[in-house]
Amino acid sequence: MLTVYNCIVEDHDVRLVLLAAIICAISSLTAVSLLDHVKKATGRVHLAWTALTACSIGFGIWATHFVAMLAFAPSLPAAYDMPLTLLSLGAAVLITGLGIYLATIRENIDHHLVGGSIIGGGIAAMHFIGMAAFEVEGVLMWDQRYVAVSLVAAVIFGACAIRAALAMSGRWSKPVAALILTLAICSLHFIAMAAVSIRPDASVTIAPSAVPATWLAVAVAVAALVILLLSAVALWVDLRDLRRSDVERKHLLDLANAAIEGLVVCQAGTVVTANASFLGLSSLALSDVIGVDFDRLIMRQATKTPDDETLLLRADGKRLPVEVLARTMSYNGVPHTVYAVRDLRERKKAEADIRHLALHDALTGLPNRRAFNERLEQEIAAHGADDGRQLALLCLDLDRFKEINDLFGHAAGDAMLQRVAQSMAGVLGSDQMFARLGGDEFAIIAPGVEGCHEASRLAEAVLEAFRIENRDAASDGVISTSIGIALCPSDATDAETLVGQADTALYRAKADGRDTFRFYEKQMGQEVRMRRLMEHELRHAVSRKEFSVVYQPQKKLDTGETIGFEALLRWHHPERGSISPAVFVPVAEESGTIVPIGEWVLETACKDAAGWDNDVTVAVNVSAVQLHSPEFAQKVHEVLLKTGLAPRRLEIEITETALVRDMNRALATLRQLKALGVMVAMDDFGTGYSSLSNLRAFPFDKIKIDGSFVRSVDTNEQAATIVKAVLGIGRGLGLPVLAEGVETAEELKFLADEFCQIGQGYLLGRPAPISTFRDIETPASSAA
């Protein structure tokens, strides 16, 4: 290195050496600036920019070399061979142009380094061709070691310069690349100059065609002018691109600020800019985010969330759920990553609302059947271990809710259901679930109970809460409930069986008087199976001819004349014998088989009555299910036409409870029946939900007093008062009143004294086949 230093200081004019370094630096910076446009361009434009950049580097290398040669003072006459001098310039331009082309056709390190190495070779080629053009009265002696070092330095610095120019970004990328390229040119020249020495030789003469140093100075001046022009071109292009970049950046920022989503532009993971939406989302200023690693602004979640969902760390320390989407774009020829940051608060809230709606009842806010099933499965799995504690399942059903709902309307029913939910708030523990399964069905999941006694206390607390709510209510209190209880794992170890057993216990609680609770017992399962068997057998009883109809007479109390019969259904089972209507009729109504059975009874009664010679009526009971059937009136009409019975001889008996289930439909059906000429009687008046307004609204032809009042008229003053009142109502409305259940002479005398017109009961005639009544003439008896 000392030899190189001595070469520069002792053998060169230092002023010209500095000038050569300045020219080299200007040409290098110009070339690096032009490289930006080379790598962005394509096709012919790419070739044009490559040529322009090659000229900048080539002329810079050439000018640097020959200015340094002018600074070289060997103390001997010297000149330059013109063809070789021009050849050195051409070699510099062509070889560096090839290197630039190879370095920019692919954006990878291999092309960058190979292209830069070729540029280093171009620097060396220009220098040694230029030295071949140097003529002096002596012989040039070369130290091969310095020659090798100069070549290595040129190649390494050239490769590094091009890599830095094409791969680096930021404000210092161009100056650094230009400095390295300057080192490549200068190190090659001065190390190579240190490798040469001149041995004077008088026999060596300078060719007459050689160009003297003064002419070379002119050529160098021209080359410097070319470099300055190229520098001016590069500066103008850079300024133009800078203005365009500023305009584009402003437009891009305006466009980004117009976006609702937060947008963050990053380069190599560092925030370059962000729009107003993101700044508002994060509560940060733009100066707070520029230059910050984007990963510091977000918090990746190690949860089962989508890969693009994360948390945004706000300036106030809060964590905001966001969705981050990334896209890569090229801006000013440099790859950038644009992150779209979406606020997920509204979506998360909507998802939570949807989840809540999916798992909760809209009316009461209680967990629904789906939530109940999920929780029950979880609790059963948790109670698999034998630790002495059990899971209690309580199934609740509101007593007579359907009747109350039909009587007071659905709004009142909904209000009751809401009060049920409210009344349970102070009864259940935090680990217990109260769910609405549908309609008036509820269930309680109570995990970790210590046997039946703790489950009993819970059931008693629930019943007491209902009673308190009823007591505090003004008029429309919460009705009572019945509760069925099953335990896991004592009674069952799977959800379906456990629910079935709790339902079975609930059925028993209702059968035992309601407003109580019952635990599941094994014999209850047999009862349920028997009930289901009965439902099945009822579906086939008509076709198997297991039903029969008996008749009970209805007589005038003053004359004893039979004016009608009530048709009563009997079921004789081939195996179990006679089954009471009180047993099978409720089952038939709940299962829906009452409709075909009722149609059979109606047709049988009308057919029998059509054969009676006497002009007496036949009364047929109709269930609420039949009455509310849209085709009921049409079915009655078809039966009358089929049997030939006069409509005035058919009397349809309905209870007031059947009316309140759907008064509008019931009224329409009764009017259709009245239009046919059929008579309508209100059955069991005084029980259920009797209302005087119903007597006025519906077209009744007769009132029937329930037998429970008649059987007590001679011993119960209240019952007697009720019967007297009903008889007075009948007289006032002009409706005949029939008293059911007349069984004693005292009852008959009371009714006769109160001017009751018609009676029915065991005292007046027991139910029997029509052939047993002698005062009725039938075709069979006439033939006899």
Side-chain angles (χ1 to χ4, degrees), residues 197-217:
S197 61
I198 303 174
R199 181 170 55 83
D201 189 345
S203 62
V204 178
T205 60
I206 299 175
S209 60
V211 178
T214 53
W215 287 99
L216 181 61

Side-chain angles (χ1 to χ4, degrees), residues 329-345:
M329 62 171 285
S330 178
Y331 182 71
N332 284 338
V334 179
H336 287 69
T337 303
V338 179
Y339 294 99
V341 182
R342 296 176 181 171
D343 188 353
L344 295 183
R345 283 177 294 183

Side-chain angles (χ1 to χ4, degrees), residues 184-236:
I185 298 171
C186 292
S187 62
L188 181 283
H189 177 83
F190 291 105
I191 293 174
M193 290 301 294
V196 68
S197 61
I198 303 174
R199 181 170 55 83
D201 189 345
S203 62
V204 178
T205 60
I206 299 175
S209 60
V211 178
T214 53
W215 287 99
L216 181 61
V218 175
V220 169
V222 172
L225 180 61
V226 171
I227 292 172
L228 291 174
L229 289 175
L230 291 175
S231 299
V233 170
L235 179 61
W236 175 78

Side-chain angles (χ1 to χ4, degrees), residues 74 126 195 204 221 300 334 343 347 483 496 510 537 580 635 678:
M126 183 272 134
V204 178
R300 302 293 182 185
V334 179
D343 188 353
R347 193 176 87 180
I483 305 174
E496 183 177 359
K510 282 186 169 293
E537 292 174 338
S580 170
K635 183 63 180 179
V678 175

